């Protein structure tokens, strides 16, 4: 009698979400355990890069993790037959940011991006559509994505020197714009204002940029605020105490990161622009929505997390986090002065404390961003603590005393 092979288990159970999970290979589990331990260890020395770490309990949105959420196409379009998206909350996220930076109620558009590089690319793309042949002007302290995006879009870029703090030189901007328009017979000008530079958190004042563009007709200018780092914290300040950078001050588009101040555990961003300057590419039959974004498929999880975080904290909570981060930056600056190490902040609202680059054996423990002028910095984002700063300063004091090795440090 011939043996009969057993019938294999159905690989597609009726309800895959209720199926028993497959056993995890011990090798895979070991790799993941080691990776988690390594990353957690790195986090105990994370002061050199801008990411908030005070993420609240996200159990409320964890139930969506096993759903593919795709916000394909125009953020305000329903999406035709496809229903697994979170555009309804994406719209609310965009509206929250638009309100915060005073975008006109009847003249706003935007969406949740993969991060500020995409946001900047989209803003420059919109500006190029509106002002064909216009050049882009940005400071030498602008984010590297500006030069990359200008190259991708085939746009002429003029880099304007920044001052010692990292703020654009408005006098040199005026000269460069005037000369470009003389040579190109009145061509438009697209200016990128950096609202919180990567290294010093300097802020380009849009009101002063507007003055530098005095010879450019309003219809021939576009000011984009790359506010990835400092946009939301500054928007929470008294307008009389901060530089201009909102739509009320003259910007046409605005970009902010979600994974910096807002503390999402993955990169994302929000871009907002004046709707009457927005140009799409027509409706796509497959998506039943205009092709108005850089990417086609877009994460539906990022808007959901952003929506929950904004609802969780609200304006009072966001403002309190910003105040606490600035207080910690002031504490850090004083502690560094206390051990005889120069330190400074580019503006009174900055979370970033700048100082001379420490020796390499110190940086081997404390990985800090550095620049070609010999500076390093720490960024006192929400979630960082005085205990962490005290460990940092204690280790630096050992180095300044000539120690060639650092004492054992206890992780936070």
């Amino acid at each position: 009698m011939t043996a009969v092979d057993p019938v294999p288990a159905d690989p597609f159970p009726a309800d895959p979400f209720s199926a028993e999970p497959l056993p995890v290979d011990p090798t895979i589990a070991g790799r993941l355990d080691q990776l988690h331990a390594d990353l957690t260890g790195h986090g105990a020395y994370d002061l050199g890069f801008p990411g908030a770490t005070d993420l609240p309990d996200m159990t409320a949105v964890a139930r969506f993790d096993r759903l593919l959420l795709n916000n394909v196409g125009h953020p305000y379009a329903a999406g035709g037959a496809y229903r697994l998206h979170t555009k309804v909350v994406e719209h609310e996220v965009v509206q929250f940011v638009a309100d915060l930076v005073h975008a006109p109620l009847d003249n706003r558009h935007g969406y949740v991006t993969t991060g500020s590089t995409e946001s900047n690319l989209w803003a420059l793309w919109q500006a190029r559509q509106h002002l064909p042949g216009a050049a882009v002007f940005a400071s030498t302290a602008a984010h590297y994505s500006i030069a990359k995006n200008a190259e991708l879009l085939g746009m002429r870029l003029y880099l304007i020197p920044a001052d010692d703090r990292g703020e654009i030189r408005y006098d040199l901007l005026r000269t460069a714009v005037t000369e470009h328009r003389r040579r190109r017979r009145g061509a438009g000008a697209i200016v990128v204002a950096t609202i919180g530079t990567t290294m010093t958190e300097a802020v380009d004042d849009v009101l002063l940029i507007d003055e530098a563009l005095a010879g450019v007709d309003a219809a021939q200018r576009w000011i984009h605020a790359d506010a990835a780092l400092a946009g939301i914290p500054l928007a929470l300040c008294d307008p009389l105490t901060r530089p201009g950078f909102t739509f009320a001050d003259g910007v046409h588009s605005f970009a902010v990161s979600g994974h910096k101040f807002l503390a999402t555990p993955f990169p994302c961003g929000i871009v907002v622009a004046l709707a009457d300057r927005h140009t799409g590419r027509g409706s796509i039959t497959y998506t039943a929505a205009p092709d108005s974004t850089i990417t086609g498929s877009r994460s539906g999880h990022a808007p959901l997390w952003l929506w929950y975080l904004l609802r969780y904290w609200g304006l009072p909570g966001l403002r309190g986090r910003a105040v606490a981060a600035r207080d910690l930056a002031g504490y850090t600056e004083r502690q560094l002065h206390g051990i005889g190490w120069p330190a400074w902040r580019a503006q009174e609202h900055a979370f970033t404390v700048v100082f001379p680059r420490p020796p390499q054996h110190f940086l081997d423990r404390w990985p800090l961003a550095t620049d070609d002028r010999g500076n390093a910095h720490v960024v006192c984002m929400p979630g960082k603590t005085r205990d962490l700063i005290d460990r940092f300063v204690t280790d630096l004091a050992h180095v300044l005393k000539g120690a060639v090795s650092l004492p054992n440090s206890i992780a936070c």
Side-chain angles (χ1 to χ4, degrees), residues 70-77 85-97 109-114 118 269-272 293 295 298-307 310:
N70 187 345
N71 287 18
V72 61
H74 194 290
Y76 299 170
H85 60 79
T86 61
K87 292 183 182 182
V88 62
V89 295
E90 179 178 24
H91 180 264
E92 292 185 34
V93 169
V94 172
Q95 295 302 316
F96 183 96
V97 175
H109 177 72
Y111 73 102
V112 173
T113 68
T114 56
E118 181 188 342
I270 306 110
V271 64
V272 180
T293 60
T295 58
R298 297 183 296 108
S299 170
H301 291 278
L304 182 61
W305 278 64
L306 288 167
W307 178 87
L310 292 172

mmCIF file of all heavy atoms in Angstrom, residues 70-77 85-97 109-114 118 269-272 293 295 298-307 310:
data_model
loop_
_atom_site.group_PDB
_atom_site.id
_atom_site.type_symbol
_atom_site.label_atom_id
_atom_site.label_comp_id
_atom_site.label_asym_id
_atom_site.label_seq_id
_atom_site.Cartn_x
_atom_site.Cartn_y
_atom_site.Cartn_z
ATOM 1 N N ASN A 70 -1.775 53.219 3.446
ATOM 2 C CA ASN A 70 -1.127 53.876 2.323
ATOM 3 C C ASN A 70 -1.919 55.135 1.944
ATOM 4 O O ASN A 70 -3.020 55.041 1.410
ATOM 5 C CB ASN A 70 -1.053 52.920 1.133
ATOM 6 C CG ASN A 70 -0.241 53.474 -0.020
ATOM 7 O OD1 ASN A 70 0.059 54.665 -0.078
ATOM 8 N ND2 ASN A 70 0.119 52.604 -0.949
ATOM 9 N N ASN A 71 -1.357 56.299 2.214
ATOM 10 C CA ASN A 71 -2.020 57.571 1.883
ATOM 11 C C ASN A 71 -1.651 58.007 0.471
ATOM 12 O O ASN A 71 -1.128 59.102 0.250
ATOM 13 C CB ASN A 71 -1.639 58.642 2.896
ATOM 14 C CG ASN A 71 -2.288 58.445 4.242
ATOM 15 O OD1 ASN A 71 -2.757 57.359 4.559
ATOM 16 N ND2 ASN A 71 -2.332 59.480 5.046
ATOM 17 N N VAL A 72 -1.909 57.158 -0.476
ATOM 18 C CA VAL A 72 -1.497 57.394 -1.852
ATOM 19 C C VAL A 72 -2.209 58.617 -2.428
ATOM 20 O O VAL A 72 -3.405 58.818 -2.226
ATOM 21 C CB VAL A 72 -1.754 56.136 -2.713
ATOM 22 C CG1 VAL A 72 -3.224 55.772 -2.743
ATOM 23 C CG2 VAL A 72 -1.193 56.313 -4.119
ATOM 24 N N GLY A 73 -1.450 59.432 -3.140
ATOM 25 C CA GLY A 73 -2.035 60.552 -3.863
ATOM 26 C C GLY A 73 -2.308 61.772 -3.008
ATOM 27 O O GLY A 73 -1.804 61.913 -1.896
ATOM 28 N N HIS A 74 -3.089 62.666 -3.547
ATOM 29 C CA HIS A 74 -3.408 63.949 -2.935
ATOM 30 C C HIS A 74 -3.937 63.759 -1.508
ATOM 31 O O HIS A 74 -4.834 62.951 -1.274
ATOM 32 C CB HIS A 74 -4.467 64.651 -3.788
ATOM 33 C CG HIS A 74 -4.655 66.102 -3.468
ATOM 34 N ND1 HIS A 74 -5.237 66.532 -2.302
ATOM 35 C CD2 HIS A 74 -4.344 67.226 -4.165
ATOM 36 C CE1 HIS A 74 -5.277 67.854 -2.279
ATOM 37 N NE2 HIS A 74 -4.739 68.296 -3.410
ATOM 38 N N PRO A 75 -3.385 64.492 -0.535
ATOM 39 C CA PRO A 75 -3.768 64.257 0.866
ATOM 40 C C PRO A 75 -5.207 64.610 1.190
ATOM 41 O O PRO A 75 -5.759 64.115 2.173
ATOM 42 C CB PRO A 75 -2.802 65.155 1.651
ATOM 43 C CG PRO A 75 -2.403 66.219 0.679
ATOM 44 C CD PRO A 75 -2.354 65.538 -0.651
ATOM 45 N N TYR A 76 -5.842 65.459 0.384
ATOM 46 C CA TYR A 76 -7.210 65.860 0.674
ATOM 47 C C TYR A 76 -8.232 65.110 -0.178
ATOM 48 O O TYR A 76 -9.425 65.354 -0.083
ATOM 49 C CB TYR A 76 -7.395 67.364 0.466
ATOM 50 C CG TYR A 76 -6.533 68.228 1.345
ATOM 51 C CD1 TYR A 76 -6.446 69.592 1.130
ATOM 52 C CD2 TYR A 76 -5.800 67.696 2.397
ATOM 53 C CE1 TYR A 76 -5.651 70.410 1.938
ATOM 54 C CE2 TYR A 76 -4.999 68.490 3.207
ATOM 55 C CZ TYR A 76 -4.924 69.839 2.979
ATOM 56 O OH TYR A 76 -4.130 70.623 3.775
ATOM 57 N N ALA A 77 -7.754 64.194 -1.035
ATOM 58 C CA ALA A 77 -8.652 63.404 -1.872
ATOM 59 C C ALA A 77 -8.927 62.065 -1.192
ATOM 60 O O ALA A 77 -8.032 61.464 -0.594
ATOM 61 C CB ALA A 77 -8.037 63.195 -3.255
ATOM 62 N N HIS A 85 -6.360 54.047 4.399
ATOM 63 C CA HIS A 85 -5.504 55.219 4.491
ATOM 64 C C HIS A 85 -5.927 56.047 5.698
ATOM 65 O O HIS A 85 -6.978 55.795 6.313
ATOM 66 C CB HIS A 85 -5.562 56.057 3.207
ATOM 67 C CG HIS A 85 -6.921 56.571 2.881
ATOM 68 N ND1 HIS A 85 -7.475 57.679 3.493
ATOM 69 C CD2 HIS A 85 -7.865 56.132 1.997
ATOM 70 C CE1 HIS A 85 -8.676 57.905 3.013
ATOM 71 N NE2 HIS A 85 -8.951 56.971 2.095
ATOM 72 N N THR A 86 -5.104 57.034 6.060
ATOM 73 C CA THR A 86 -5.388 57.885 7.220
ATOM 74 C C THR A 86 -5.411 59.355 6.804
ATOM 75 O O THR A 86 -4.971 60.225 7.553
ATOM 76 C CB THR A 86 -4.337 57.675 8.328
ATOM 77 O OG1 THR A 86 -3.035 58.019 7.821
ATOM 78 C CG2 THR A 86 -4.326 56.234 8.820
ATOM 79 N N LYS A 87 -5.922 59.629 5.615
ATOM 80 C CA LYS A 87 -5.917 61.016 5.129
ATOM 81 C C LYS A 87 -6.761 61.939 5.997
ATOM 82 O O LYS A 87 -6.488 63.138 6.077
ATOM 83 C CB LYS A 87 -6.389 61.060 3.680
ATOM 84 C CG LYS A 87 -5.422 60.418 2.703
ATOM 85 C CD LYS A 87 -5.913 60.558 1.274
ATOM 86 C CE LYS A 87 -4.969 59.882 0.297
ATOM 87 N NZ LYS A 87 -5.406 60.044 -1.102
ATOM 88 N N VAL A 88 -7.768 61.387 6.659
ATOM 89 C CA VAL A 88 -8.602 62.242 7.506
ATOM 90 C C VAL A 88 -7.805 62.826 8.657
ATOM 91 O O VAL A 88 -8.003 63.987 9.043
ATOM 92 C CB VAL A 88 -9.836 61.452 8.024
ATOM 93 C CG1 VAL A 88 -9.433 60.266 8.889
ATOM 94 C CG2 VAL A 88 -10.767 62.370 8.788
ATOM 95 N N VAL A 89 -6.859 62.049 9.219
ATOM 96 C CA VAL A 89 -6.030 62.608 10.290
ATOM 97 C C VAL A 89 -4.822 63.351 9.719
ATOM 98 O O VAL A 89 -4.300 64.272 10.353
ATOM 99 C CB VAL A 89 -5.584 61.528 11.303
ATOM 100 C CG1 VAL A 89 -6.784 60.960 12.029
ATOM 101 C CG2 VAL A 89 -4.768 60.430 10.647
ATOM 102 N N GLU A 90 -4.364 62.957 8.521
ATOM 103 C CA GLU A 90 -3.283 63.711 7.878
ATOM 104 C C GLU A 90 -3.721 65.157 7.663
ATOM 105 O O GLU A 90 -2.941 66.096 7.896
ATOM 106 C CB GLU A 90 -2.912 63.069 6.542
ATOM 107 C CG GLU A 90 -1.804 63.818 5.810
ATOM 108 C CD GLU A 90 -1.396 63.159 4.502
ATOM 109 O OE1 GLU A 90 -2.226 62.420 3.927
ATOM 110 O OE2 GLU A 90 -0.255 63.382 4.053
ATOM 111 N N HIS A 91 -4.949 65.330 7.231
ATOM 112 C CA HIS A 91 -5.487 66.676 7.009
ATOM 113 C C HIS A 91 -5.452 67.479 8.310
ATOM 114 O O HIS A 91 -5.083 68.657 8.331
ATOM 115 C CB HIS A 91 -6.909 66.570 6.477
ATOM 116 C CG HIS A 91 -7.555 67.877 6.204
ATOM 117 N ND1 HIS A 91 -8.393 68.494 7.113
ATOM 118 C CD2 HIS A 91 -7.476 68.720 5.138
ATOM 119 C CE1 HIS A 91 -8.810 69.645 6.622
ATOM 120 N NE2 HIS A 91 -8.272 69.810 5.424
ATOM 121 N N GLU A 92 -5.779 66.837 9.425
ATOM 122 C CA GLU A 92 -5.778 67.533 10.712
ATOM 123 C C GLU A 92 -4.360 67.892 11.143
ATOM 124 O O GLU A 92 -4.140 68.951 11.752
ATOM 125 C CB GLU A 92 -6.464 66.680 11.774
ATOM 126 C CG GLU A 92 -7.964 66.515 11.546
ATOM 127 C CD GLU A 92 -8.648 65.767 12.664
ATOM 128 O OE1 GLU A 92 -8.223 65.918 13.829
ATOM 129 O OE2 GLU A 92 -9.612 65.024 12.391
ATOM 130 N N VAL A 93 -3.398 67.030 10.868
ATOM 131 C CA VAL A 93 -2.001 67.340 11.192
ATOM 132 C C VAL A 93 -1.530 68.569 10.414
ATOM 133 O O VAL A 93 -0.915 69.489 10.971
ATOM 134 C CB VAL A 93 -1.092 66.125 10.890
ATOM 135 C CG1 VAL A 93 0.387 66.514 10.962
ATOM 136 C CG2 VAL A 93 -1.393 64.985 11.859
ATOM 137 N N VAL A 94 -1.816 68.592 9.122
ATOM 138 C CA VAL A 94 -1.431 69.735 8.289
ATOM 139 C C VAL A 94 -2.111 71.004 8.794
ATOM 140 O O VAL A 94 -1.483 72.070 8.888
ATOM 141 C CB VAL A 94 -1.777 69.468 6.812
ATOM 142 C CG1 VAL A 94 -1.566 70.721 5.970
ATOM 143 C CG2 VAL A 94 -0.934 68.314 6.263
ATOM 144 N N GLN A 95 -3.392 70.908 9.150
ATOM 145 C CA GLN A 95 -4.111 72.080 9.639
ATOM 146 C C GLN A 95 -3.515 72.589 10.947
ATOM 147 O O GLN A 95 -3.428 73.804 11.176
ATOM 148 C CB GLN A 95 -5.597 71.746 9.835
ATOM 149 C CG GLN A 95 -6.342 71.411 8.568
ATOM 150 C CD GLN A 95 -6.278 72.529 7.533
ATOM 151 O OE1 GLN A 95 -6.439 73.700 7.843
ATOM 152 N NE2 GLN A 95 -6.016 72.156 6.287
ATOM 153 N N PHE A 96 -3.103 71.682 11.825
ATOM 154 C CA PHE A 96 -2.494 72.080 13.099
ATOM 155 C C PHE A 96 -1.239 72.909 12.861
ATOM 156 O O PHE A 96 -1.055 73.984 13.441
ATOM 157 C CB PHE A 96 -2.160 70.835 13.930
ATOM 158 C CG PHE A 96 -1.599 71.137 15.299
ATOM 159 C CD1 PHE A 96 -2.423 71.152 16.412
ATOM 160 C CD2 PHE A 96 -0.242 71.403 15.480
ATOM 161 C CE1 PHE A 96 -1.914 71.429 17.672
ATOM 162 C CE2 PHE A 96 0.275 71.695 16.723
ATOM 163 C CZ PHE A 96 -0.563 71.703 17.827
ATOM 164 N N VAL A 97 -0.357 72.390 11.999
ATOM 165 C CA VAL A 97 0.891 73.107 11.715
ATOM 166 C C VAL A 97 0.588 74.412 10.986
ATOM 167 O O VAL A 97 1.190 75.455 11.275
ATOM 168 C CB VAL A 97 1.848 72.219 10.905
ATOM 169 C CG1 VAL A 97 3.093 72.997 10.487
ATOM 170 C CG2 VAL A 97 2.248 70.989 11.724
ATOM 171 N N HIS A 109 -2.228 74.505 1.790
ATOM 172 C CA HIS A 109 -2.134 73.157 1.243
ATOM 173 C C HIS A 109 -0.912 72.506 1.872
ATOM 174 O O HIS A 109 0.008 73.192 2.315
ATOM 175 C CB HIS A 109 -1.982 73.190 -0.284
ATOM 176 C CG HIS A 109 -1.797 71.836 -0.905
ATOM 177 N ND1 HIS A 109 -2.815 70.930 -1.005
ATOM 178 C CD2 HIS A 109 -0.700 71.237 -1.434
ATOM 179 C CE1 HIS A 109 -2.359 69.824 -1.574
ATOM 180 N NE2 HIS A 109 -1.089 69.978 -1.850
ATOM 181 N N GLY A 110 -0.882 71.174 1.924
ATOM 182 C CA GLY A 110 0.290 70.508 2.465
ATOM 183 C C GLY A 110 0.043 69.028 2.662
ATOM 184 O O GLY A 110 -1.058 68.527 2.428
ATOM 185 N N TYR A 111 1.088 68.331 3.122
ATOM 186 C CA TYR A 111 0.955 66.898 3.379
ATOM 187 C C TYR A 111 2.076 66.425 4.279
ATOM 188 O O TYR A 111 3.033 67.169 4.568
ATOM 189 C CB TYR A 111 0.907 66.113 2.069
ATOM 190 C CG TYR A 111 2.200 65.984 1.286
ATOM 191 C CD1 TYR A 111 2.952 64.808 1.326
ATOM 192 C CD2 TYR A 111 2.655 67.014 0.459
ATOM 193 C CE1 TYR A 111 4.113 64.652 0.571
ATOM 194 C CE2 TYR A 111 3.812 66.872 -0.295
ATOM 195 C CZ TYR A 111 4.544 65.690 -0.230
ATOM 196 O OH TYR A 111 5.693 65.546 -0.967
ATOM 197 N N VAL A 112 1.970 65.188 4.743
ATOM 198 C CA VAL A 112 2.993 64.571 5.589
ATOM 199 C C VAL A 112 3.988 63.855 4.690
ATOM 200 O O VAL A 112 3.601 63.016 3.864
ATOM 201 C CB VAL A 112 2.365 63.594 6.601
ATOM 202 C CG1 VAL A 112 3.451 62.839 7.364
ATOM 203 C CG2 VAL A 112 1.464 64.359 7.577
ATOM 204 N N THR A 113 5.258 64.192 4.848
ATOM 205 C CA THR A 113 6.322 63.696 3.978
ATOM 206 C C THR A 113 7.199 62.682 4.712
ATOM 207 O O THR A 113 7.009 62.412 5.901
ATOM 208 C CB THR A 113 7.199 64.855 3.503
ATOM 209 O OG1 THR A 113 7.933 65.381 4.637
ATOM 210 C CG2 THR A 113 6.371 65.971 2.892
ATOM 211 N N THR A 114 8.199 62.172 4.004
ATOM 212 C CA THR A 114 9.162 61.266 4.624
ATOM 213 C C THR A 114 10.171 62.010 5.499
ATOM 214 O O THR A 114 10.939 61.389 6.236
ATOM 215 C CB THR A 114 9.945 60.503 3.550
ATOM 216 O OG1 THR A 114 10.573 61.447 2.664
ATOM 217 C CG2 THR A 114 9.034 59.607 2.741
ATOM 218 N N GLU A 118 12.416 65.711 1.665
ATOM 219 C CA GLU A 118 11.302 65.658 0.711
ATOM 220 C C GLU A 118 10.470 66.935 0.761
ATOM 221 O O GLU A 118 10.040 67.449 -0.271
ATOM 222 C CB GLU A 118 10.401 64.450 0.993
ATOM 223 C CG GLU A 118 9.238 64.350 0.003
ATOM 224 C CD GLU A 118 8.211 63.297 0.352
ATOM 225 O OE1 GLU A 118 8.523 62.394 1.150
ATOM 226 O OE2 GLU A 118 7.079 63.385 -0.176
ATOM 227 N N GLY A 269 7.975 64.275 8.112
ATOM 228 C CA GLY A 269 7.934 65.724 8.108
ATOM 229 C C GLY A 269 6.573 66.218 7.672
ATOM 230 O O GLY A 269 5.712 65.436 7.231
ATOM 231 N N ILE A 270 6.354 67.520 7.811
ATOM 232 C CA ILE A 270 5.123 68.160 7.360
ATOM 233 C C ILE A 270 5.507 69.373 6.526
ATOM 234 O O ILE A 270 6.392 70.143 6.923
ATOM 235 C CB ILE A 270 4.234 68.610 8.530
ATOM 236 C CG1 ILE A 270 3.941 67.447 9.477
ATOM 237 C CG2 ILE A 270 2.929 69.217 8.026
ATOM 238 C CD1 ILE A 270 4.605 67.538 10.801
ATOM 239 N N VAL A 271 4.882 69.532 5.369
ATOM 240 C CA VAL A 271 5.117 70.694 4.524
ATOM 241 C C VAL A 271 3.788 71.401 4.308
ATOM 242 O O VAL A 271 2.750 70.754 4.132
ATOM 243 C CB VAL A 271 5.773 70.312 3.180
ATOM 244 C CG1 VAL A 271 4.878 69.429 2.341
ATOM 245 C CG2 VAL A 271 6.212 71.555 2.415
ATOM 246 N N VAL A 272 3.814 72.730 4.374
ATOM 247 C CA VAL A 272 2.627 73.563 4.176
ATOM 248 C C VAL A 272 2.993 74.651 3.179
ATOM 249 O O VAL A 272 4.116 75.187 3.218
ATOM 250 C CB VAL A 272 2.153 74.202 5.499
ATOM 251 C CG1 VAL A 272 0.919 75.061 5.275
ATOM 252 C CG2 VAL A 272 1.889 73.138 6.556
ATOM 253 N N THR A 293 1.990 65.107 -4.881
ATOM 254 C CA THR A 293 3.057 64.870 -3.911
ATOM 255 C C THR A 293 4.297 64.336 -4.619
ATOM 256 O O THR A 293 4.239 63.939 -5.781
ATOM 257 C CB THR A 293 2.592 63.874 -2.836
ATOM 258 O OG1 THR A 293 2.234 62.640 -3.466
ATOM 259 C CG2 THR A 293 1.385 64.406 -2.077
ATOM 260 N N THR A 295 6.219 61.571 -3.638
ATOM 261 C CA THR A 295 6.078 60.121 -3.744
ATOM 262 C C THR A 295 4.637 59.780 -4.086
ATOM 263 O O THR A 295 3.725 60.570 -3.842
ATOM 264 C CB THR A 295 6.464 59.435 -2.416
ATOM 265 O OG1 THR A 295 5.650 59.949 -1.371
ATOM 266 C CG2 THR A 295 7.928 59.689 -2.097
ATOM 267 N N ARG A 298 2.422 56.761 0.135
ATOM 268 C CA ARG A 298 2.962 57.479 1.291
ATOM 269 C C ARG A 298 2.503 56.775 2.567
ATOM 270 O O ARG A 298 1.424 56.194 2.622
ATOM 271 C CB ARG A 298 2.480 58.936 1.305
ATOM 272 C CG ARG A 298 2.950 59.740 0.111
ATOM 273 C CD ARG A 298 2.513 61.198 0.192
ATOM 274 N NE ARG A 298 1.067 61.355 0.139
ATOM 275 C CZ ARG A 298 0.306 61.695 1.168
ATOM 276 N NH1 ARG A 298 0.857 61.915 2.343
ATOM 277 N NH2 ARG A 298 -0.998 61.821 1.024
ATOM 278 N N SER A 299 3.319 56.848 3.602
ATOM 279 C CA SER A 299 2.978 56.192 4.861
ATOM 280 C C SER A 299 1.686 56.748 5.441
ATOM 281 O O SER A 299 1.513 57.964 5.585
ATOM 282 C CB SER A 299 4.105 56.383 5.876
ATOM 283 O OG SER A 299 3.697 55.945 7.173
ATOM 284 N N GLY A 300 0.788 55.857 5.805
ATOM 285 C CA GLY A 300 -0.386 56.265 6.549
ATOM 286 C C GLY A 300 -0.163 56.201 8.044
ATOM 287 O O GLY A 300 -0.963 56.726 8.825
ATOM 288 N N HIS A 301 0.931 55.561 8.445
ATOM 289 C CA HIS A 301 1.251 55.463 9.872
ATOM 290 C C HIS A 301 1.836 56.771 10.404
ATOM 291 O O HIS A 301 1.539 57.166 11.543
ATOM 292 C CB HIS A 301 2.219 54.306 10.113
ATOM 293 C CG HIS A 301 1.609 52.961 9.900
ATOM 294 N ND1 HIS A 301 0.852 52.320 10.863
ATOM 295 C CD2 HIS A 301 1.613 52.136 8.826
ATOM 296 C CE1 HIS A 301 0.436 51.158 10.400
ATOM 297 N NE2 HIS A 301 0.887 51.019 9.160
ATOM 298 N N ALA A 302 2.660 57.438 9.612
ATOM 299 C CA ALA A 302 3.275 58.682 10.079
ATOM 300 C C ALA A 302 2.225 59.735 10.449
ATOM 301 O O ALA A 302 2.294 60.329 11.530
ATOM 302 C CB ALA A 302 4.248 59.220 9.034
ATOM 303 N N PRO A 303 1.225 60.014 9.582
ATOM 304 C CA PRO A 303 0.192 60.966 9.992
ATOM 305 C C PRO A 303 -0.555 60.530 11.246
ATOM 306 O O PRO A 303 -0.917 61.369 12.079
ATOM 307 C CB PRO A 303 -0.754 61.013 8.792
ATOM 308 C CG PRO A 303 0.052 60.554 7.639
ATOM 309 C CD PRO A 303 1.010 59.555 8.193
ATOM 310 N N LEU A 304 -0.769 59.220 11.406
ATOM 311 C CA LEU A 304 -1.487 58.714 12.570
ATOM 312 C C LEU A 304 -0.696 58.983 13.850
ATOM 313 O O LEU A 304 -1.247 59.450 14.858
ATOM 314 C CB LEU A 304 -1.752 57.220 12.400
ATOM 315 C CG LEU A 304 -2.538 56.520 13.509
ATOM 316 C CD1 LEU A 304 -3.926 57.127 13.636
ATOM 317 C CD2 LEU A 304 -2.622 55.022 13.226
ATOM 318 N N TRP A 305 0.597 58.693 13.830
ATOM 319 C CA TRP A 305 1.442 58.946 15.002
ATOM 320 C C TRP A 305 1.521 60.444 15.288
ATOM 321 O O TRP A 305 1.438 60.871 16.441
ATOM 322 C CB TRP A 305 2.836 58.361 14.779
ATOM 323 C CG TRP A 305 2.919 56.894 15.057
ATOM 324 C CD1 TRP A 305 2.264 55.900 14.390
ATOM 325 C CD2 TRP A 305 3.690 56.262 16.074
ATOM 326 N NE1 TRP A 305 2.586 54.678 14.925
ATOM 327 C CE2 TRP A 305 3.463 54.868 15.953
ATOM 328 C CE3 TRP A 305 4.567 56.710 17.050
ATOM 329 C CZ2 TRP A 305 4.072 53.938 16.801
ATOM 330 C CZ3 TRP A 305 5.182 55.784 17.892
ATOM 331 C CH2 TRP A 305 4.927 54.413 17.773
ATOM 332 N N LEU A 306 1.710 61.246 14.247
ATOM 333 C CA LEU A 306 1.779 62.695 14.451
ATOM 334 C C LEU A 306 0.476 63.228 15.038
ATOM 335 O O LEU A 306 0.488 64.045 15.965
ATOM 336 C CB LEU A 306 2.090 63.394 13.126
ATOM 337 C CG LEU A 306 3.513 63.240 12.595
ATOM 338 C CD1 LEU A 306 3.586 63.697 11.143
ATOM 339 C CD2 LEU A 306 4.503 64.032 13.454
ATOM 340 N N TRP A 307 -0.650 62.764 14.505
ATOM 341 C CA TRP A 307 -1.956 63.198 14.999
ATOM 342 C C TRP A 307 -2.103 62.865 16.478
ATOM 343 O O TRP A 307 -2.531 63.697 17.276
ATOM 344 C CB TRP A 307 -3.055 62.526 14.177
ATOM 345 C CG TRP A 307 -4.448 62.862 14.618
ATOM 346 C CD1 TRP A 307 -5.202 63.934 14.223
ATOM 347 C CD2 TRP A 307 -5.255 62.120 15.547
ATOM 348 N NE1 TRP A 307 -6.430 63.903 14.844
ATOM 349 C CE2 TRP A 307 -6.487 62.802 15.666
ATOM 350 C CE3 TRP A 307 -5.050 60.952 16.289
ATOM 351 C CZ2 TRP A 307 -7.512 62.354 16.494
ATOM 352 C CZ3 TRP A 307 -6.073 60.505 17.117
ATOM 353 C CH2 TRP A 307 -7.283 61.195 17.203
ATOM 354 N N LEU A 310 0.226 65.121 18.680
ATOM 355 C CA LEU A 310 -0.279 66.487 18.776
ATOM 356 C C LEU A 310 -1.516 66.547 19.681
ATOM 357 O O LEU A 310 -1.676 67.502 20.454
ATOM 358 C CB LEU A 310 -0.615 67.021 17.386
ATOM 359 C CG LEU A 310 0.591 67.257 16.466
ATOM 360 C CD1 LEU A 310 0.120 67.609 15.053
ATOM 361 C CD2 LEU A 310 1.500 68.354 17.012
#
